[in-house]
Amino acid sequence: MITNMYQENILDHYKHPRNFGDLPNAKFHAHAANPLCGDELDFFLEFNTDDKISNVKFNGRGCTITIASASMLSEKLRGMSRSDIEIFSNEDAIKLLGVPITPARLKCATLALETVQQAIGHH
Ligand code: FES
């Protein structure tokens, strides 16, 4: 039952991704891809004078888990500092999805975080 609720939430984020688009003037931008399937994401980040994320957009294409996790992460990022992002772990990204992720889908669940960490220069 609970899993269904999380699955519906994932589908909703996939069908209606939050913060989808570009920020052409964003100083922080990265592109990452999963070479195994060709899925790819771009993240654009803007920071305010307090060094907290004030605006975030992403675009790309990918499987349900990739797009849903990018959408969920984009909602979570606003207000975060660079160091908050650096310590955000793959496990934290998986927790956002709320469902167990098999090793085969790990890259799907963490591609968004990888892209964001690349954008701030932390790999
Ligand atoms: Fe490509 Fe999920 S199948 S990242």
Side-chain angles (χ1 to χ4, degrees):
M1 224 31 192
I2 291 197
T3 304
N4 275 346
M5 191 180 82
Y6 283 115
Q7 281 168 345
E8 267 170 39
N9 191 33
I10 287 172
L11 272 182
D12 183 58
H13 275 271
Y14 175 66
K15 286 186 196 150
H16 312 285
R18 323 301 197 260
N19 303 306
F20 196 81
D22 293 334
L23 290 174
N25 297 322
K27 265 213 244 152
F28 297 88
H29 163 241
H31 172 92
N34 182 349
L36 294 179
C37 60
D39 288 358
E40 49 190 335
L41 291 174
D42 281 88
F43 260 89
F44 303 84
L45 309 172
E46 284 174 357
F47 288 83
N48 62 22
T49 47
D50 290 336
D51 213 22
K52 301 270 167 64
I53 291 190
S54 53
N55 206 0
V56 48
K57 295 262 186 217
F58 81 95
N59 70 34
R61 61 195 170 81
C63 65
T64 313
I65 297 287
T66 295
I67 298 299
S69 75
S71 173
M72 289 173 184
L73 186 64
S74 75
E75 286 194 315
K76 182 92 185 160
L77 286 173
R78 225 169 275 254
M80 281 172 78
S81 67
R82 240 168 290 206
S83 46
D84 293 333
I85 296 170
E86 282 170 10
I87 59 169
F88 205 82
S89 66
N90 285 351
E91 291 72 30
D92 293 332
I94 290 166
K95 253 186 239 153
L96 287 179
L97 289 162
V99 295
I101 296 296
T102 60
R105 305 306 299 276
L106 199 61
K107 182 78 176 179
C108 312
T110 57
L111 184 63
L113 179 62
E114 184 188 319
T115 315
V116 168
Q117 288 180 332
Q118 264 185 42
I120 61 159
H122 176 91
H123 305 265

